mmCIF file with all atom_site columns, all heavy atoms in Angstrom:
data_model
loop_
_atom_site.group_PDB
_atom_site.id
_atom_site.type_symbol
_atom_site.label_atom_id
_atom_site.label_alt_id
_atom_site.label_comp_id
_atom_site.label_asym_id
_atom_site.label_entity_id
_atom_site.label_seq_id
_atom_site.pdbx_PDB_ins_code
_atom_site.Cartn_x
_atom_site.Cartn_y
_atom_site.Cartn_z
_atom_site.occupancy
_atom_site.B_iso_or_equiv
_atom_site.pdbx_formal_charge
_atom_site.auth_seq_id
_atom_site.auth_comp_id
_atom_site.auth_asym_id
_atom_site.auth_atom_id
_atom_site.pdbx_PDB_model_num
ATOM 1   N N   . GLU A 1 303 ? 1.482   -5.215  -40.944 1.00 95.00 ? 303 GLU A N   1
ATOM 2   C CA  . GLU A 1 303 ? 0.137   -5.800  -40.979 1.00 95.00 ? 303 GLU A CA  1
ATOM 3   C C   . GLU A 1 303 ? -0.289  -6.237  -39.570 1.00 95.00 ? 303 GLU A C   1
ATOM 4   O O   . GLU A 1 303 ? -1.431  -6.057  -39.169 1.00 95.00 ? 303 GLU A O   1
ATOM 5   C CB  . GLU A 1 303 ? 0.096   -7.016  -41.924 1.00 95.00 ? 303 GLU A CB  1
ATOM 6   C CG  . GLU A 1 303 ? 0.363   -6.702  -43.375 1.00 95.00 ? 303 GLU A CG  1
ATOM 7   C CD  . GLU A 1 303 ? 1.829   -6.393  -43.668 1.00 95.00 ? 303 GLU A CD  1
ATOM 8   O OE1 . GLU A 1 303 ? 2.704   -6.902  -42.933 1.00 95.00 ? 303 GLU A OE1 1
ATOM 9   O OE2 . GLU A 1 303 ? 2.120   -5.628  -44.614 1.00 95.00 ? 303 GLU A OE2 1
ATOM 10  N N   . ARG A 1 304 ? 0.685   -6.799  -38.878 1.00 94.00 ? 304 ARG A N   1
ATOM 11  C CA  . ARG A 1 304 ? 0.399   -7.268  -37.513 1.00 94.00 ? 304 ARG A CA  1
ATOM 12  C C   . ARG A 1 304 ? -0.060  -6.103  -36.639 1.00 94.00 ? 304 ARG A C   1
ATOM 13  O O   . ARG A 1 304 ? -1.047  -6.197  -35.926 1.00 94.00 ? 304 ARG A O   1
ATOM 14  C CB  . ARG A 1 304 ? 1.670   -7.900  -36.946 1.00 94.00 ? 304 ARG A CB  1
ATOM 15  C CG  . ARG A 1 304 ? 1.547   -8.410  -35.542 1.00 94.00 ? 304 ARG A CG  1
ATOM 16  C CD  . ARG A 1 304 ? 1.782   -9.918  -35.493 1.00 94.00 ? 304 ARG A CD  1
ATOM 17  N NE  . ARG A 1 304 ? 1.744   -10.423 -34.130 1.00 94.00 ? 304 ARG A NE  1
ATOM 18  C CZ  . ARG A 1 304 ? 0.612   -10.677 -33.483 1.00 94.00 ? 304 ARG A CZ  1
ATOM 19  N NH1 . ARG A 1 304 ? -0.537  -10.462 -34.054 1.00 94.00 ? 304 ARG A NH1 1
ATOM 20  N NH2 . ARG A 1 304 ? 0.641   -11.143 -32.242 1.00 94.00 ? 304 ARG A NH2 1
ATOM 21  N N   . GLU A 1 305 ? 0.670   -4.987  -36.741 1.00 95.00 ? 305 GLU A N   1
ATOM 22  C CA  . GLU A 1 305 ? 0.304   -3.814  -35.938 1.00 95.00 ? 305 GLU A CA  1
ATOM 23  C C   . GLU A 1 305 ? -1.093  -3.341  -36.328 1.00 95.00 ? 305 GLU A C   1
ATOM 24  O O   . GLU A 1 305 ? -1.928  -3.076  -35.466 1.00 95.00 ? 305 GLU A O   1
ATOM 25  C CB  . GLU A 1 305 ? 1.323   -2.682  -36.134 1.00 95.00 ? 305 GLU A CB  1
ATOM 26  C CG  . GLU A 1 305 ? 1.070   -1.520  -35.171 1.00 95.00 ? 305 GLU A CG  1
ATOM 27  C CD  . GLU A 1 305 ? 1.798   -0.233  -35.539 1.00 95.00 ? 305 GLU A CD  1
ATOM 28  O OE1 . GLU A 1 305 ? 2.688   -0.261  -36.411 1.00 95.00 ? 305 GLU A OE1 1
ATOM 29  O OE2 . GLU A 1 305 ? 1.458   0.809   -34.951 1.00 95.00 ? 305 GLU A OE2 1
ATOM 30  N N   . GLN A 1 306 ? -1.345  -3.280  -37.638 1.00 96.00 ? 306 GLN A N   1
ATOM 31  C CA  . GLN A 1 306 ? -2.633  -2.777  -38.109 1.00 96.00 ? 306 GLN A CA  1
ATOM 32  C C   . GLN A 1 306 ? -3.777  -3.625  -37.590 1.00 96.00 ? 306 GLN A C   1
ATOM 33  O O   . GLN A 1 306 ? -4.814  -3.123  -37.179 1.00 96.00 ? 306 GLN A O   1
ATOM 34  C CB  . GLN A 1 306 ? -2.628  -2.746  -39.656 1.00 96.00 ? 306 GLN A CB  1
ATOM 35  C CG  . GLN A 1 306 ? -3.778  -1.948  -40.246 1.00 96.00 ? 306 GLN A CG  1
ATOM 36  C CD  . GLN A 1 306 ? -3.912  -0.562  -39.599 1.00 96.00 ? 306 GLN A CD  1
ATOM 37  O OE1 . GLN A 1 306 ? -2.923  0.176   -39.477 1.00 96.00 ? 306 GLN A OE1 1
ATOM 38  N NE2 . GLN A 1 306 ? -5.111  -0.219  -39.124 1.00 96.00 ? 306 GLN A NE2 1
ATOM 39  N N   . LYS A 1 307 ? -3.535  -4.938  -37.559 1.00 94.00 ? 307 LYS A N   1
ATOM 40  C CA  . LYS A 1 307 ? -4.578  -5.837  -37.094 1.00 94.00 ? 307 LYS A CA  1
ATOM 41  C C   . LYS A 1 307 ? -4.925  -5.558  -35.624 1.00 94.00 ? 307 LYS A C   1
ATOM 42  O O   . LYS A 1 307 ? -6.087  -5.553  -35.227 1.00 94.00 ? 307 LYS A O   1
ATOM 43  C CB  . LYS A 1 307 ? -4.123  -7.289  -37.270 1.00 94.00 ? 307 LYS A CB  1
ATOM 44  C CG  . LYS A 1 307 ? -5.262  -8.233  -37.590 1.00 94.00 ? 307 LYS A CG  1
ATOM 45  C CD  . LYS A 1 307 ? -4.753  -9.640  -37.789 1.00 94.00 ? 307 LYS A CD  1
ATOM 46  C CE  . LYS A 1 307 ? -5.456  -10.576 -36.827 1.00 94.00 ? 307 LYS A CE  1
ATOM 47  N NZ  . LYS A 1 307 ? -4.614  -11.657 -36.357 1.00 94.00 ? 307 LYS A NZ  1
ATOM 48  N N   . ILE A 1 308 ? -3.880  -5.302  -34.855 1.00 95.00 ? 308 ILE A N   1
ATOM 49  C CA  . ILE A 1 308 ? -4.118  -4.997  -33.438 1.00 95.00 ? 308 ILE A CA  1
ATOM 50  C C   . ILE A 1 308 ? -4.926  -3.707  -33.308 1.00 95.00 ? 308 ILE A C   1
ATOM 51  O O   . ILE A 1 308 ? -5.909  -3.634  -32.564 1.00 95.00 ? 308 ILE A O   1
ATOM 52  C CB  . ILE A 1 308 ? -2.779  -4.843  -32.695 1.00 95.00 ? 308 ILE A CB  1
ATOM 53  C CG1 . ILE A 1 308 ? -1.961  -6.133  -32.742 1.00 95.00 ? 308 ILE A CG1 1
ATOM 54  C CG2 . ILE A 1 308 ? -3.013  -4.414  -31.241 1.00 95.00 ? 308 ILE A CG2 1
ATOM 55  C CD1 . ILE A 1 308 ? -2.503  -7.248  -31.906 1.00 95.00 ? 308 ILE A CD1 1
ATOM 56  N N   . TRP A 1 309 ? -4.535  -2.684  -34.071 1.00 96.00 ? 309 TRP A N   1
ATOM 57  C CA  . TRP A 1 309 ? -5.287  -1.423  -34.019 1.00 96.00 ? 309 TRP A CA  1
ATOM 58  C C   . TRP A 1 309 ? -6.744  -1.648  -34.397 1.00 96.00 ? 309 TRP A C   1
ATOM 59  O O   . TRP A 1 309 ? -7.647  -1.091  -33.774 1.00 96.00 ? 309 TRP A O   1
ATOM 60  C CB  . TRP A 1 309 ? -4.659  -0.380  -34.947 1.00 96.00 ? 309 TRP A CB  1
ATOM 61  C CG  . TRP A 1 309 ? -3.387  0.233   -34.440 1.00 96.00 ? 309 TRP A CG  1
ATOM 62  C CD1 . TRP A 1 309 ? -2.160  0.132   -35.007 1.00 96.00 ? 309 TRP A CD1 1
ATOM 63  C CD2 . TRP A 1 309 ? -3.221  1.052   -33.274 1.00 96.00 ? 309 TRP A CD2 1
ATOM 64  N NE1 . TRP A 1 309 ? -1.227  0.824   -34.266 1.00 96.00 ? 309 TRP A NE1 1
ATOM 65  C CE2 . TRP A 1 309 ? -1.858  1.397   -33.204 1.00 96.00 ? 309 TRP A CE2 1
ATOM 66  C CE3 . TRP A 1 309 ? -4.096  1.508   -32.278 1.00 96.00 ? 309 TRP A CE3 1
ATOM 67  C CZ2 . TRP A 1 309 ? -1.334  2.183   -32.185 1.00 96.00 ? 309 TRP A CZ2 1
ATOM 68  C CZ3 . TRP A 1 309 ? -3.576  2.297   -31.257 1.00 96.00 ? 309 TRP A CZ3 1
ATOM 69  C CH2 . TRP A 1 309 ? -2.214  2.629   -31.212 1.00 96.00 ? 309 TRP A CH2 1
ATOM 70  N N   . ASP A 1 310 ? -6.970  -2.474  -35.419 1.00 95.00 ? 310 ASP A N   1
ATOM 71  C CA  . ASP A 1 310 ? -8.347  -2.736  -35.829 1.00 95.00 ? 310 ASP A CA  1
ATOM 72  C C   . ASP A 1 310 ? -9.151  -3.352  -34.685 1.00 95.00 ? 310 ASP A C   1
ATOM 73  O O   . ASP A 1 310 ? -10.307 -3.021  -34.468 1.00 95.00 ? 310 ASP A O   1
ATOM 74  C CB  . ASP A 1 310 ? -8.374  -3.684  -37.038 1.00 95.00 ? 310 ASP A CB  1
ATOM 75  C CG  . ASP A 1 310 ? -7.770  -3.024  -38.271 1.00 95.00 ? 310 ASP A CG  1
ATOM 76  O OD1 . ASP A 1 310 ? -7.632  -1.778  -38.239 1.00 95.00 ? 310 ASP A OD1 1
ATOM 77  O OD2 . ASP A 1 310 ? -7.421  -3.735  -39.233 1.00 95.00 ? 310 ASP A OD2 1
ATOM 78  N N   . ASN A 1 311 ? -8.475  -4.226  -33.959 1.00 93.00 ? 311 ASN A N   1
ATOM 79  C CA  . ASN A 1 311 ? -9.141  -4.881  -32.835 1.00 93.00 ? 311 ASN A CA  1
ATOM 80  C C   . ASN A 1 311 ? -9.482  -3.914  -31.706 1.00 93.00 ? 311 ASN A C   1
ATOM 81  O O   . ASN A 1 311 ? -10.345 -4.193  -30.894 1.00 93.00 ? 311 ASN A O   1
ATOM 82  C CB  . ASN A 1 311 ? -8.225  -5.969  -32.255 1.00 93.00 ? 311 ASN A CB  1
ATOM 83  C CG  . ASN A 1 311 ? -8.501  -7.304  -32.892 1.00 93.00 ? 311 ASN A CG  1
ATOM 84  O OD1 . ASN A 1 311 ? -9.520  -7.473  -33.547 1.00 93.00 ? 311 ASN A OD1 1
ATOM 85  N ND2 . ASN A 1 311 ? -7.588  -8.234  -32.707 1.00 93.00 ? 311 ASN A ND2 1
ATOM 86  N N   . LEU A 1 312 ? -8.732  -2.795  -31.656 1.00 94.00 ? 312 LEU A N   1
ATOM 87  C CA  . LEU A 1 312 ? -8.917  -1.861  -30.540 1.00 94.00 ? 312 LEU A CA  1
ATOM 88  C C   . LEU A 1 312 ? -9.972  -0.805  -30.840 1.00 94.00 ? 312 LEU A C   1
ATOM 89  O O   . LEU A 1 312 ? -10.185 0.097   -30.042 1.00 94.00 ? 312 LEU A O   1
ATOM 90  C CB  . LEU A 1 312 ? -7.586  -1.161  -30.226 1.00 94.00 ? 312 LEU A CB  1
ATOM 91  C CG  . LEU A 1 312 ? -6.443  -2.056  -29.746 1.00 94.00 ? 312 LEU A CG  1
ATOM 92  C CD1 . LEU A 1 312 ? -5.182  -1.237  -29.576 1.00 94.00 ? 312 LEU A CD1 1
ATOM 93  C CD2 . LEU A 1 312 ? -6.809  -2.731  -28.437 1.00 94.00 ? 312 LEU A CD2 1
ATOM 94  N N   . LYS A 1 313 ? -10.624 -0.917  -31.980 1.00 94.00 ? 313 LYS A N   1
ATOM 95  C CA  . LYS A 1 313 ? -11.467 0.165   -32.463 1.00 94.00 ? 313 LYS A CA  1
ATOM 96  C C   . LYS A 1 313 ? -12.481 0.670   -31.420 1.00 94.00 ? 313 LYS A C   1
ATOM 97  O O   . LYS A 1 313 ? -12.616 1.872   -31.209 1.00 94.00 ? 313 LYS A O   1
ATOM 98  C CB  . LYS A 1 313 ? -12.204 -0.299  -33.725 1.00 94.00 ? 313 LYS A CB  1
ATOM 99  C CG  . LYS A 1 313 ? -12.833 0.869   -34.465 1.00 94.00 ? 313 LYS A CG  1
ATOM 100 C CD  . LYS A 1 313 ? -13.490 0.428   -35.742 1.00 94.00 ? 313 LYS A CD  1
ATOM 101 C CE  . LYS A 1 313 ? -14.342 1.554   -36.295 1.00 94.00 ? 313 LYS A CE  1
ATOM 102 N NZ  . LYS A 1 313 ? -15.367 2.029   -35.376 1.00 94.00 ? 313 LYS A NZ  1
ATOM 103 N N   . ASN A 1 314 ? -13.144 -0.261  -30.754 1.00 92.00 ? 314 ASN A N   1
ATOM 104 C CA  . ASN A 1 314 ? -14.158 0.148   -29.779 1.00 92.00 ? 314 ASN A CA  1
ATOM 105 C C   . ASN A 1 314 ? -13.584 1.068   -28.706 1.00 92.00 ? 314 ASN A C   1
ATOM 106 O O   . ASN A 1 314 ? -14.205 2.028   -28.282 1.00 92.00 ? 314 ASN A O   1
ATOM 107 C CB  . ASN A 1 314 ? -14.751 -1.080  -29.087 1.00 92.00 ? 314 ASN A CB  1
ATOM 108 C CG  . ASN A 1 314 ? -15.646 -1.842  -30.030 1.00 92.00 ? 314 ASN A CG  1
ATOM 109 O OD1 . ASN A 1 314 ? -16.028 -1.309  -31.065 1.00 92.00 ? 314 ASN A OD1 1
ATOM 110 N ND2 . ASN A 1 314 ? -15.953 -3.083  -29.677 1.00 92.00 ? 314 ASN A ND2 1
#
Side-chain angles (χ1 to χ4, degrees):
Chain A
E303 296 74 28
R304 179 118 177 81
E305 188 195 348
Q306 193 50 49
K307 213 178 123 214
I308 299 289
W309 285 116
D310 294 344
N311 268 346
L312 297 176
K313 194 177 168 302
N314 288 345

